[in-house]
């Protein structure tokens, strides 16, 4: 998909192009996404800075970028102009969250942007509401460690008060002392995501990601028939904690009124890669999910 995921005008989302076209936009930048040994007890608090300032820090390198991460930045909400240049893998364009009649808090959440310094990493975590996750690597390399969801209990999860989703100890804690034997038994898959590759992570799967180099990626969560029941159960529990006025209640109401077609947008055809990405305007509202294998207006013979 690599040659089709971005427009030809955006120079591969290079730092220079991003700075020139979106550099004055304010973005949330984290500075504590470090390896556990040097992370300390500081919270993952973001600071606002201009995008060109964050990219200039990455260019300079050194100790001041240790742990620097633009993490899960919503393009529709924060950098909508970039959506003209970033496409979405068609494998995920059938997302139920885009097929609702009413808008809700997830209608315009994805895709998101990740820009990380070499060595930066997020804590071991599981995505909320059993959401599936995809990521496309635009530049750089990331090491993913993905644990079997049935072995999550071996990672010593705890659920904080008034929270629905678990948090996990650091890898340092899990690999030392009494926890180490449990951690060693947890089944896992380790993979290095390379430039131009796309990764799918099933909902409910604990994972840890380390940037092996400076990196740029786009990603999203999604919902379909395969995780619908688990996601709805999670969201009902979240809504019960939030109350009727919470944002998750709106998501549930929007999903509950639709009778989804599980096979909509799923095709067995072997397609040219140019037909395996969709533009954002075709993603929102679920338009691309209703396409035949060959998108409207396209010539299937490659002419």
């Amino acid at each position: 998909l690599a040659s089709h995921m971005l427009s030809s005008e955006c120079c591969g989302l290079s730092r220079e192009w991003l700075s020139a076209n979106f550099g004055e936009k304010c973005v949330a930048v984290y500075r504590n996404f470090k390896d556990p040994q040097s992370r300390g007890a500081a919270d993952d608090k973001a600071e606002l800075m201009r995008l060109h300032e964050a990219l200039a820090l990455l260019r300079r390198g050194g100790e001041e970028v240790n742990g620097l991460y633009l993490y899960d930045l919503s393009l529709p909400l924060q950098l909508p102009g970039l959506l003209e240049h970033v496409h979405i893998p068609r494998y995920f364009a059938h997302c139920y969250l885009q097929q609702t009649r009413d808008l809700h808090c997830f209608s315009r959440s994805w895709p998101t942007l990740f820009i990380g310094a070499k060595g930066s990493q997020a804590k071991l975590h599981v995505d909320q509401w059993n959401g599936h996750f995809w990521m496309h690597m635009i530049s750089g390399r990331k090491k993913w460690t993905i644990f079997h969801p049935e072995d999550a209990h071996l990672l010593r999860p705890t659920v904080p008060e008034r929270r629905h989703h678990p948090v996990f100890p650091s890898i340092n804690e899990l690999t030392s002392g009494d926890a180490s034997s449990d951690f060693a038994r947890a089944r896992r898959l380790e993979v290095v995501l390379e430039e131009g590759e796309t990764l799918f992570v099933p909902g409910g799967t604990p994972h840890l990601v380390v940037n092996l180099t400076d990196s740029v990626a786009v990603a999203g969560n999604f919902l379909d028939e395969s995780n619908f029941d688990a996601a709805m159960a999670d969201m009902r529990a979240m809504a019960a904690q939030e109350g009727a006025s919470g944002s998750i209640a709106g998501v549930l109401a929007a999903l509950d009124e639709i009778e989804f077609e599980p096979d909509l947008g799923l095709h067995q055809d072997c397609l040219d890669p140019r037909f395996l990405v969709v533009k954002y305007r075709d993603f929102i509202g679920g338009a691309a999910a209703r396409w035949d294998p060959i998108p409207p207006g396209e010539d299937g013979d490659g002419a």
Side-chain angles (χ1 to χ4, degrees):
L1 303 182
S3 60
H4 303 280
M5 278 292 293
L6 301 175
S7 73
S8 58
E9 298 87 12
C10 72
C11 303
L13 295 192
S14 68
R15 295 171 185 169
E16 294 75 18
W17 186 87
L18 287 170
S19 292
N21 290 273
F22 300 96
E24 293 303 315
K25 296 289 187 179
C26 282
V27 294
V29 179
Y30 295 88
R31 288 180 176 269
N32 196 41
F33 277 47
K34 305 176 182 179
D35 69 89
Q37 289 185 334
S38 59
R39 191 178 195 124
D43 293 333
D44 294 331
K45 293 181 179 178
E47 61 179 282
L48 288 178
M49 63 174 66
R50 304 288 184 186
L51 180 58
H52 73 84
E53 295 172 335
L55 295 174
L57 282 174
L58 282 172
R59 274 194 296 271
R60 288 199 296 270
E63 184 58 31
E64 64 181 335
V65 300
N66 184 16
L68 188 77
Y69 214 157
L70 279 73
Y71 183 81
D72 212 14
L73 185 73
S74 171
L75 295 185
L77 298 178
Q78 297 174 276
L79 291 174
L82 198 52
L83 293 168
E84 297 178 20
H85 304 281
V86 174
H87 302 153
I88 295 162
R90 192 174 172 186
Y91 307 119
F92 317 116
H94 62 287
C95 178
Y96 285 1
L97 294 167
Q98 293 299 324
Q99 297 183 41
T100 61
R101 182 178 63 86
D102 292 332
L103 294 178
H104 49 78
C105 66
F106 296 141
S107 295
R108 302 295 183 265
S109 292
W110 299 288
T112 56
L113 178 68
F114 291 74
I115 301 178
K118 178 181 179 180
S120 58
Q121 58 184 271
K123 295 176 180 178
L124 177 65
H125 68 282
V126 61
D127 287 5
Q128 292 192 8
W129 51 266
N130 265 276
H132 290 328
F133 179 82
W134 63 268
M135 173 172 279
H136 179 80
M137 202 72 197
I138 293 173
S139 62
R141 306 169 75 231
K142 290 176 182 279
K143 179 182 178 182
W144 281 75
T145 304
I146 304 169
F147 294 89
H148 198 297
E150 293 179 1
D151 290 348
H153 66 284
L154 298 174
L155 306 177
R156 302 288 179 100
T158 58
V159 179
E161 186 178 359
R162 302 190 61 80
R163 292 274 301 275
H164 180 68
H165 297 92
V167 297
F168 299 92
S170 72
I171 292 298
N172 279 358
E173 295 173 282
L174 287 171
T175 54
S176 62
D178 294 339
S180 60
S181 59
D182 284 345
F183 180 75
R185 289 164 43 216
R187 290 167 289 176
R188 72 205 68 181
L189 175 67
E190 293 187 346
V191 60
V192 174
L193 190 62
E194 304 280 359
E195 182 174 322
E197 295 181 339
T198 301
L199 179 71
F200 163 72
V201 181
T205 305
H207 53 277
L208 172 71
V209 189
V210 180
N211 287 303
L212 300 179
T213 67
D214 289 356
S215 67
V216 179
V218 290
N221 288 102
F222 74 102
L223 173 68
D224 67 8
E225 192 65 21
S226 63
N227 65 331
F228 185 78
D229 290 342
M232 291 295 281
D234 260 21
M235 284 193 270
R236 292 191 197 286
M238 293 168 65
Q241 290 179 332
E242 287 185 349
S245 61
S247 59
I248 298 298
V251 181
L252 284 169
L255 291 169
D256 272 335
E257 73 168 3
I258 304 295
E259 186 171 338
F260 295 101
E261 300 176 47
D263 296 330
L264 187 67
L266 303 181
H267 307 289
Q268 295 184 1
D269 305 64
C270 184
L271 298 176
D272 188 287
R274 63 195 169 106
F275 300 146
L276 295 178
V277 299
V278 302
K279 295 181 179 180
Y280 179 73
R281 65 172 180 261
D282 297 317
F283 172 69
I284 56 172
R290 302 178 182 90
W291 288 351
D292 290 329
I294 305 300
E298 295 287 355
D299 185 349
D301 64 8

